[in-house]
């Protein structure tokens, strides 16, 4: 059973349009939205960064996301094989499957740090359930974070638990595993998030949060800022590693692809902004720094939960939200390699266990980066001064693998496949919307991504 390498009718498919949208939105909505967006926006000064991020989302990442879904639905196989088929169709001599293989490596790299951070979220959810952070001092909150991050066995254990859960869900067929998980966790996540925004709006400084995220502030516009904004836009949608292509391959021909894309991008953006509006009002009313960095949700939020009314409940809800967001994304990250192994005759269960174990082993590099503190720079010898393995993996994936794959997708869809073929695959009428998107995929996205890299190298 399951996927064979032929594009036959036995190829699995999500059971309905809504199931497809929920599961794929679950993939997009992840740690990148709730943990990543607030801290990256915070570090980069708010408003201006958010504006560039929105532009990058609209003109580069979302059109590329649509292209990736389309490639998946056209290719109906794991990313390397789907792209191999499309290469043949386009009669191209370039090696398209290479982009698929790079993506597969990317999925495991993302999982390797996802597992540690999701593990910390799970650990904190348990801490919150035991009575929250009520009355904790600055020192105690820092000690909790430091305890977690200094203990390799603890991080490895949580990483294994998180990946075990992920592998369990992925080992079922897609309608039982991926779909059920999405249908339970996504609505729960949205409810908890809305509850938090309302709570923060009443308890914290909502005006300051809105001004920070959407107001205009003087800031330095550097190539680095663009790279971060574009990287965040790609990461948040999950474009570029083949998770989306794999979900696209399970998308029925009855799904309106452009409309589904709009829904998913809108939901992803909504969650990122809502996470910002849940976190920053509390940050500003408590006087902690918005630029706290990756520790924002673990170092800063518990301090705030420590002295607000109902803090324990809010804390538990928040870390549960973070965990759900992570799981609905990690199952998408594990799917492409498992699909590829299925094509090689493996069972889903065996494939899921093998790839999850690999992710756990590589996650030790992230754990080591945390345990060694910020001051261990094992890569200095390579000229990557000031970077840990975690930094290297996170930035390497979001700022390089994702945009470069996005560029490859844009060139495949915009230039190598024929315009008619692409239009019929979506399908879209030959109207303004299609022309706009096709123009963006053909010119705007490739030019922006290329300019970005030139800027990053030169700057
Ligand atoms: N989009 C997810 C996030 O924002 C990360 C992710 C990346 C998920 C690629 C899936 C995927 O295939 O956290």
């Amino acid at each position: 059973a399951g996927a064979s390498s032929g594009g036959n009718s036995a190829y699995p498919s999500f059971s309905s349009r809504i199931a497809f949208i929920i599961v794929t939105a679950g993939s997009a909505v992840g740690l990148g939205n709730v943990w990543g967006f607030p801290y990256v926006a915070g570090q980069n000064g708010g408003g201006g960064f958010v504006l560039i991020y929105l532009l990058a989302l609209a003109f580069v990442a979302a059109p590329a996301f649509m292209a990736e879904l389309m490639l998946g639905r056209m290719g109906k196989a794991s990313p390397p094989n789907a792209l191999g088929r499309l290469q043949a169709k386009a009669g191209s001599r370039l090696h398209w499957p290479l982009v698929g293989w790079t993506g597969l490596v990317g999925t495991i790299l993302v999982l390797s740090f996802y597992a540690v951070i999701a593990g910390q979220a799970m650990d904190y959810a348990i801490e919150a359930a035991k009575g929250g952070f009520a009355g904790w001092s600055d020192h105690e909150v820092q000690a909790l974070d430091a305890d977690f991050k200094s203990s390799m066995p603890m991080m490895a254990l949580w990483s294994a638990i998180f990946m075990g859960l992920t592998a369990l869900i992925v080992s079922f067929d897609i309608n039982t595993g991926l779909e059920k998980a999405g249908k339970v966790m996504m609505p729960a996540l949205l409810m908890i998030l809305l509850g938090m925004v309302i709570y923060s709006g009443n308890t914290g400084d909502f005006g300051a949060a809105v001004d920070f995220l959407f107001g205009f502030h003087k800031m330095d516009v550097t190539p680095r800022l663009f790279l971060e904004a574009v990287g965040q836009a790609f990461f948040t949608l999950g474009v570029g590693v083949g998770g989306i292509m794999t979900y696209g391959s399970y998308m029925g021909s009855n799904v309106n692809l452009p409309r589904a894309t709009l829904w998913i991008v809108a939901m992803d953006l909504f969650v990122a902004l809502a996470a910002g509006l849940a976190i920053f009002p509390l940050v500003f009313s408590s006087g902690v720094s918005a630029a706290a960095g990756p520790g924002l949700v673990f170092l800063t939020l518990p301090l705030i939960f420590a002295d607000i009314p109902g803090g324990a409940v809010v804390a538990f809800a928040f870390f549960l939200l973070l965990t759900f967001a992570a799981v609905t994304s990690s199952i998408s990250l594990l799917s492409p390699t498992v699909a590829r192994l299925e094509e090689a005759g493996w069972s889903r269960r065996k494939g899921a266990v093998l790839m999850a174990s690999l992710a756990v082993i590589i996650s030790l590099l992230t754990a080591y980066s945390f345990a060694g503190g910020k001051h261990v720079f094992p890569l200095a010898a390579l000229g990557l001064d000031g970077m840990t393995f975690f930094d290297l993996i996170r930035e390497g994936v979001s700022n390089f693998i994702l945009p470069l794959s996005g560029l490859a997708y844009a060139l495949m869809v915009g230039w190598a496949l024929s315009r008619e073929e692409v239009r019929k695959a979506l399908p879209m009428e030959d109207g303004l919307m299609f022309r706009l998107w096709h123009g963006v995929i053909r010119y705007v996205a490739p030019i922006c991504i290329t300019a970005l890299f030139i800027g990053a190298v030169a700057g």
Side-chain angles (χ1 to χ4, degrees), residues 168-191:
L168 179 70
I169 298 172
V170 172
S171 64
F172 292 102
D173 69 71
I174 65 163
N175 308 98
T176 314
L178 303 180
E179 266 183 50
K180 292 258 160 65
K183 282 181 180 166
V184 172
M185 291 186 204
M186 283 302 285
L189 179 157
L190 291 178
M191 305 263 282

Side-chain angles (χ1 to χ4, degrees), residues 60 66 92 110-111 143 147 155 176 190 216-217 219 262 277 284 326-327 339 369 394:
V60 187
M66 190 160 126
S92 165
V110 174
L111 280 172
D147 279 350
M155 286 185 279
T176 314
L190 291 178
F216 193 78
H217 319 278
M219 58 167 203
L262 273 183
L277 290 177
F284 290 120
V327 171
S369 306
R394 190 191 73 84

Side-chain angles (χ1 to χ4, degrees), residues 48-126:
F49 171 85
V50 174
L51 180 66
I52 299 174
Y53 165 75
L54 290 176
L55 292 173
L57 204 58
F59 290 105
V60 187
F65 178 90
M66 190 160 126
E68 185 175 338
L69 275 181
M70 193 197 86
L71 290 168
R73 185 161 71 177
M74 286 176 88
K76 283 256 173 287
S78 71
N81 286 337
L83 292 176
R85 274 187 200 159
L86 296 175
Q87 177 193 343
K89 189 170 191 151
S92 165
R93 285 203 310 223
L94 297 170
H95 191 64
W96 292 20
L98 192 63
V99 178
W101 287 111
T102 309
L104 295 194
V105 173
T107 57
I108 303 302
L109 291 178
V110 174
L111 280 172
S112 77
F113 68 82
Y114 233 70
V116 178
I117 293 163
Q120 191 171 8
M122 292 163 92
D123 187 53
Y124 276 46
I126 288 176

Side-chain angles (χ1 to χ4, degrees), residues 27-33 110 114 235-238 241 243-244 329 332-333:
S27 156
V29 171
L31 293 177
N33 302 61
V110 174
Y114 233 70
F235 189 81
T236 193
L237 291 182
V241 285
I244 295 305
S329 293
S332 139
L333 287 159

Side-chain angles (χ1 to χ4, degrees), residues 396-422:
V397 174
S398 336
N399 300 354
F400 294 95
I401 294 186
L402 301 187
L404 278 179
S405 305
L407 176 62
Y409 298 156
L411 296 177
M412 289 167 182
V413 170
W415 295 89
L417 292 167
S418 85
R419 185 179 184 280
E420 266 316 280
E421 219 164 11
V422 166

Side-chain angles (χ1 to χ4, degrees), residues 354-372:
L354 177 77
M355 296 321 294
S357 311
L358 185 62
V360 173
I361 293 170
I362 302 177
S363 78
L364 296 176
L365 287 176
T366 287
Y368 171 74
S369 306
F370 290 165

Side-chain angles (χ1 to χ4, degrees), residues 101-321:
W101 287 111
T102 309
L104 295 194
V105 173
T107 57
I108 303 302
L109 291 178
V110 174
L111 280 172
S112 77
F113 68 82
Y114 233 70
V116 178
I117 293 163
Q120 191 171 8
M122 292 163 92
D123 187 53
Y124 276 46
I126 288 176
E127 202 59 55
K130 287 196 304 206
F133 305 97
W136 283 36
S137 67
D138 210 341
H139 185 73
E140 283 167 298
V141 171
Q142 275 166 14
L144 181 68
D145 181 69
D147 279 350
F148 184 87
K149 291 194 172 133
S150 60
S151 166
M152 292 278 294
M154 176 114 124
M155 286 185 279
L157 179 67
W158 275 116
S159 158
I161 293 173
F162 178 76
M163 288 313 304
L165 183 62
T166 302
L168 179 70
I169 298 172
V170 172
S171 64
F172 292 102
D173 69 71
I174 65 163
N175 308 98
T176 314
L178 303 180
E179 266 183 50
K180 292 258 160 65
K183 282 181 180 166
V184 172
M185 291 186 204
M186 283 302 285
L189 179 157
L190 291 178
M191 305 263 282
I192 298 173
L193 187 60
L194 277 182
M196 276 212 60
V197 174
I198 294 170
Y199 179 88
S200 296
N202 285 321
T203 315
D205 191 343
F206 200 68
V210 170
D211 178 61
F212 178 71
L213 286 172
F214 305 112
F216 193 78
H217 319 278
K218 237 178 95 78
M219 58 167 203
D220 291 333
V221 181
T222 58
R224 169 102 204 145
L225 184 80
F226 275 91
L227 196 60
E228 283 284 323
V230 174
Q232 176 65 24
F234 272 97
F235 189 81
T236 193
L237 291 182
V239 194
V241 285
I244 295 305
M245 199 182 298
T246 305
Y247 279 11
S249 78
Y250 303 142
M251 172 174 35
S253 53
N254 62 337
V255 181
N256 179 319
L257 198 155
R259 194 176 308 155
T261 301
L262 273 183
W263 273 107
I264 295 161
V265 172
M267 235 185 282
D268 186 78
L269 178 61
F270 173 80
V271 172
L273 297 179
L277 290 177
I279 292 173
F280 285 118
L282 299 176
V283 166
F284 290 120
S285 67
S286 67
V288 296
S289 164
L296 186 66
V297 305
F298 296 116
L299 279 172
T300 308
L301 286 184
L303 260 188
I304 299 169
F305 297 143
D307 50 45
I308 53 179
V313 178
V314 183
F316 178 69
F318 179 79
F319 289 111
L320 191 66
L321 159 84

